[in-house]
């Protein structure tokens, strides 16, 4: 056809290839001189229409399209993305986008949104949705975005909660490692004082500690992994939802139902992990006594072992878990695990009692602020409250120079002398807790109650100068 033949340009522009004048206008709209045109046809073929500039652009489009197809393989693509990037299927993409905005059944444009079915409809479809609320797309998009914004806020709060829980898990995992290292060091120190043939016992105990460390570290890692997965999932939902909300109204409404369904995912609040820490009492409590059962030498034995996992952060326990020192809270960095007291300067023993008779002596010495007794396992540990039997604490205390019993009224006790060692006796079956001066067996106070759950020995000391010490006993190992 005549329109497909080159024509001499009227303004005689310069050829972009060789910079010669007298170029001709090609059907594609570009200019080339006769020599460059012949060279183009020779290189590209006589059937190739257009010029090197057109061919280069098509080649670039082809390369870019192949590159983007490989980068976004198996990923959702928005209609018209090829148009925005300037390559491939521009007319086809436009037609497809126009078809998506048209009702497949009636051929009218989709201008309404059914809020009950959450789908786009045309005016003719409205008859089928006459009992439903149908609004124009602009108003529907505004309402749906408002709804998703509220849901996003809730998910963001959930994400913050999970991040906090993850940080707590990381802190707890670090504390577990420190506990294991500390316990291992103490175990080694004790075994170094024993004879050579006891090395096998040392190895056995260290292996038990290592197994527990690995078990509890693995459980904590599993929880960390779950939290990380949940956080990643929520972040993906939030990111994809925000991306959809930032799209134009039509695309937003088209994807709204699917996006709304993703937002309905339920993520449970992270739960506390009781018993997550290393059971220090199991490895360190009465360690020499347990070894002594095999050696039958003199070893000091304490009937009660303190549980450091329950100790308030202001309390420091000795390595043998038998004495309590008051310290400043900022000197210690302890995880706020469920078993630990907070705001109540107390610590429980590792072993509780739900039957039988039990007793232990505590050297109070010159401590000016202390409390001793028993507490039920379910006692509140995160808030301070006046100690009382009604709240599950049966204690005797010294504060501001006055001895008192936690009988509810806080009646002062009149003692003949200041006890240096207090004996605590528990008769669970009879419902009695008795306090006496271990020096002369003088009864100081007695509780009579009915116990319904396990009771744990309780200790508190807020005197900075003097510790409380559980008195050691001499025992003999024998069999009948």
């Amino acid at each position: 056809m005549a329109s497909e033949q080159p024509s001499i340009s009227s303004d005689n522009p310069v050829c972009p290839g060789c910079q010669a004048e007298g170029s001709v206008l090609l059907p594609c709209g570009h200019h080339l001189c006769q020599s460059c045109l012949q060279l183009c046809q020779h290189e590209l073929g006589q059937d190739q229409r257009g010029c090197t500039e057109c061919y280069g652009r098509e080649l670039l489009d082809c390369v870019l399209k192949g590159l983007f197809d490989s980068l976004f393989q198996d990923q959702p693509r928005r209609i018209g993305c090829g148009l925005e990037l300037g390559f491939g299927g521009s007319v086809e993409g436009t037609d497809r986008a126009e078809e998506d905005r048209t009702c497949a059944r009636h051929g009218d444009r989709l201008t309404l949104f059914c809020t009950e079915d959450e789908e786009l409809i045309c005016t003719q479809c409205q008859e089928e949705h006459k009992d439903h609320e149908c609004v124009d797309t602009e108003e529907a998009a505004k309402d749906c975005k408002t709804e998703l914004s509220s849901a996003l806020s809730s998910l963001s709060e959930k994400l913050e909660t999970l991040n906090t829980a993850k940080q707590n898990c990381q802190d707890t995992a670090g504390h577990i490692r420190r506990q294991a290292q500390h316990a291992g060091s103490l175990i080694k120190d004790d075994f170094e004082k024993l004879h050579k043939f006891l090395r096998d016992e040392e190895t056995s105990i260290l292996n038990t500690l290592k197994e527990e460390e690995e078990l509890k570290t693995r459980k904590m890692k599993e929880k960390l992994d779950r939290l990380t997965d949940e956080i990643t999932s929520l972040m993906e939902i939030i990111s994809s939802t925000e991306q959809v909300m930032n799209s134009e109204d039509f695309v937003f409404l088209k994807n709204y139902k699917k996006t709304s369904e993703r937002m309905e995912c339920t993520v449970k609040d992270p739960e506390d992990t009781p018993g997550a820490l290393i059971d220090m009492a199991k490895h360190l409590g009465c360690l020499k006594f347990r070894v002594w059962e095999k050696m039958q030498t003199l070893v000091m034995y304490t009937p009660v072992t303190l549980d450091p996992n329950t100790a308030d952060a202001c309390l420091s326990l000795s390595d043998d878990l038998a004495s309590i020192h008051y310290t400043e809270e900022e000197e210690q960095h302890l995880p706020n695990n469920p078993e630990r007291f907070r705001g109540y300067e107390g610590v429980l023993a590792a072993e509780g009692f739900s039957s039988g008779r039990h007793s232990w002596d505590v050297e109070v010495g010159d401590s000016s602020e202390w409390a001793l007794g028993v507490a039920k396992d379910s006692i509140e540990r995160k808030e301070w409250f006046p100690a009382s039997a009604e709240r599950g604490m049966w204690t005797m205390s010294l504060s501001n120079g006055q001895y008192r019993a936690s009988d509810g009224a806080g009646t002062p006790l009149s003692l003949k002398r200041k006890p240096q060692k207090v004996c605590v006796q528990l008769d669970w079956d009879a419902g009695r807790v008795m306090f006496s001066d271990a020096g002369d067996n003088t009864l100081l106070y007695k509780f009579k109650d009915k116990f319904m759950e396990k009771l744990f020995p309780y200790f508190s000391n807020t005197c900075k100068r003097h510790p409380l010490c559980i008195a050691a006993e001499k025992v003999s190992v024998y069999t009948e």
Side-chain angles (χ1 to χ4, degrees):
M1 295 178 63
S3 60
E4 297 179 356
Q5 299 299 320
S7 60
I8 301 298
S9 176
S10 60
D11 54 359
N12 198 24
V14 176
C15 173
C18 63
Q19 303 298 313
E21 296 184 355
S23 63
V24 296
L25 177 65
L26 301 179
C28 62
H30 299 120
H31 293 83
L32 284 178
C33 69
Q34 194 65 34
S35 298
C36 290
L37 179 60
Q38 292 177 357
L39 179 62
C40 174
Q41 291 176 341
H42 175 72
E43 294 292 335
L44 303 179
Q46 294 295 331
D47 296 334
Q48 175 67 39
R49 299 188 181 278
C51 62
T52 53
E53 187 171 350
C54 292
Y55 181 75
R57 179 174 298 177
E58 292 175 359
L59 180 61
L60 178 61
D61 288 349
C62 181
V63 172
L64 288 176
K65 185 176 185 303
L67 176 61
F68 276 91
D69 287 343
S70 64
L71 288 175
F72 297 101
Q73 185 176 5
D74 299 327
Q75 296 189 24
R77 302 284 295 277
R78 291 189 299 171
I79 295 175
C81 62
L83 297 175
E84 296 170 4
L85 295 173
F87 59 83
S90 58
V91 175
E92 182 183 354
T94 303
D95 292 342
R96 185 165 58 251
E98 186 63 28
E99 290 177 1
D100 287 344
R101 294 176 178 270
T102 304
C103 178
R105 296 179 57 190
H106 304 106
D108 293 344
R109 286 184 65 84
L110 301 171
T111 58
L112 298 174
F113 183 74
C114 176
T115 59
E116 183 169 332
D117 294 334
E118 297 182 348
E119 63 180 6
L120 290 162
I121 62 174
C122 68
T123 53
Q124 296 188 54
C125 294
Q126 192 172 8
E127 180 63 26
E128 302 173 5
H129 298 261
K130 59 183 178 179
D131 294 332
H132 301 169
E133 181 182 2
C134 301
V135 297
D136 62 82
T137 55
E138 181 178 357
E139 180 181 353
K142 181 179 180 181
D143 293 341
C144 291
K145 286 182 178 180
T146 301
E147 180 180 345
L148 288 184
S149 295
S150 176
L152 273 177
S153 177
S154 175
L155 289 180
S156 296
E157 293 177 359
K158 184 77 69 175
L159 178 61
E160 182 178 357
T161 301
L162 291 177
N163 278 322
T164 300
K166 179 180 178 180
Q167 183 60 48
N168 290 338
C169 285
Q170 292 172 336
D171 294 342
T172 301
H175 188 70
I176 290 174
R177 290 191 297 271
R178 291 190 295 273
Q179 280 187 310
Q181 294 168 1
H182 184 56
S185 175
L186 294 176
I187 291 171
K188 289 181 180 180
D189 289 343
D190 281 336
F191 272 92
E192 287 176 0
K193 301 174 184 178
L194 304 175
H195 295 289
K196 182 73 171 60
F197 71 91
L198 289 176
R199 294 299 181 185
D200 291 339
E201 182 70 9
E202 176 189 12
T203 302
S204 175
I205 296 178
L206 286 173
N207 286 340
T208 302
L209 171 65
K210 185 63 178 178
E211 290 174 1
E212 183 175 1
E213 179 193 5
E214 292 175 352
L215 175 63
K216 294 189 174 180
T217 300
R218 183 170 63 253
K219 289 183 178 179
M220 194 56 59
K221 183 180 182 302
E222 291 173 355
K223 184 174 181 180
L224 275 170
D225 291 340
R226 288 196 301 272
L227 289 171
T228 300
D229 291 342
E230 292 174 352
I231 290 172
T232 301
S233 177
L234 279 179
M235 291 179 68
E236 289 177 353
I237 293 175
I238 292 173
S239 176
S240 62
T241 303
E242 289 175 343
Q243 183 178 0
V244 171
M245 291 179 64
N246 290 330
S247 62
E248 62 173 341
D249 293 348
F250 177 82
V251 176
F252 165 74
L253 292 175
K254 183 177 179 180
N255 297 290
Y256 170 73
K257 186 173 184 179
K258 184 184 295 185
T259 304
S260 179
E261 290 174 352
R262 287 192 69 186
M263 298 282 289
E264 294 176 1
C265 68
T266 58
V267 179
K268 297 181 179 180
D269 290 333
E271 299 178 353
D272 290 332
T273 309
L277 303 181
I278 296 294
D279 190 348
M280 302 288 282
K282 171 184 175 183
H283 302 290
L284 301 178
C286 303
L287 176 61
K288 294 179 181 179
F289 173 75
R290 290 187 282 116
V291 176
W292 181 45
E293 287 181 317
K294 298 179 180 180
M295 296 184 62
Q296 297 190 23
T297 61
L298 295 179
V299 175
M300 305 307 292
Y301 165 73
T302 53
V304 171
T305 300
L306 302 175
D307 185 356
N309 295 339
T310 68
D312 190 286
C314 66
L315 297 180
S316 175
L317 308 185
S318 61
D319 289 341
D320 60 359
L321 305 179
S323 64
I324 311 167
H325 299 258
Y326 183 81
T327 184
E328 297 298 333
E329 184 172 351
E330 56 268 18
E331 295 181 4
Q332 301 191 92
H333 302 281
L334 303 175
N336 188 20
N337 50 295
E339 300 91 343
R340 191 177 307 282
F341 283 98
R342 275 293 187 194
Y344 213 110
E345 300 86 354
V347 59
L348 298 179
E351 183 181 3
F353 309 111
S354 56
S355 63
R357 297 179 180 180
H358 312 274
S359 66
W360 54 95
D361 294 345
V362 182
E363 297 177 359
V364 295
D366 294 327
S367 175
S368 58
E369 300 278 344
W370 54 263
L372 304 172
V374 295
K376 61 183 182 181
D377 188 22
S378 60
I379 193 171
E380 171 61 46
R381 307 190 187 195
K382 304 302 180 183
E383 295 182 5
W384 184 90
F385 58 88
S388 66
E390 289 75 13
R391 299 292 295 267
M393 293 183 70
W394 295 264
T395 64
M396 174 184 173
S397 63
L398 171 63
S399 179
N400 297 323
Q402 184 65 62
Y403 294 95
R404 297 178 185 274
S406 60
D407 58 359
T411 306
L413 303 179
S414 178
L415 306 184
K416 295 181 179 180
R417 68 171 190 170
K418 178 181 179 180
Q420 294 294 303
K421 183 187 296 185
V422 176
C423 177
V424 183
Q425 296 174 289
L426 168 66
D427 188 337
W428 196 95
D429 300 311
R432 287 196 299 264
V433 180
M434 295 183 292
F435 302 88
S436 58
D437 186 337
D440 58 8
N441 292 327
T442 301
L443 181 64
L444 304 177
Y445 193 81
K446 179 175 68 175
F447 286 98
K448 185 68 173 72
D449 212 328
K450 184 177 181 180
F451 304 134
M452 304 299 294
E453 60 179 276
K454 182 179 289 188
L455 301 180
F456 287 79
Y458 172 82
F459 309 84
S460 177
N461 181 34
T462 53
C463 177
K464 295 182 179 181
R465 298 179 59 186
H466 304 284
L468 291 186
C469 300
I470 300 173
E473 303 175 356
K474 284 188 176 183
V475 296
S476 298
V477 178
Y478 66 93
T479 58
E480 295 182 354

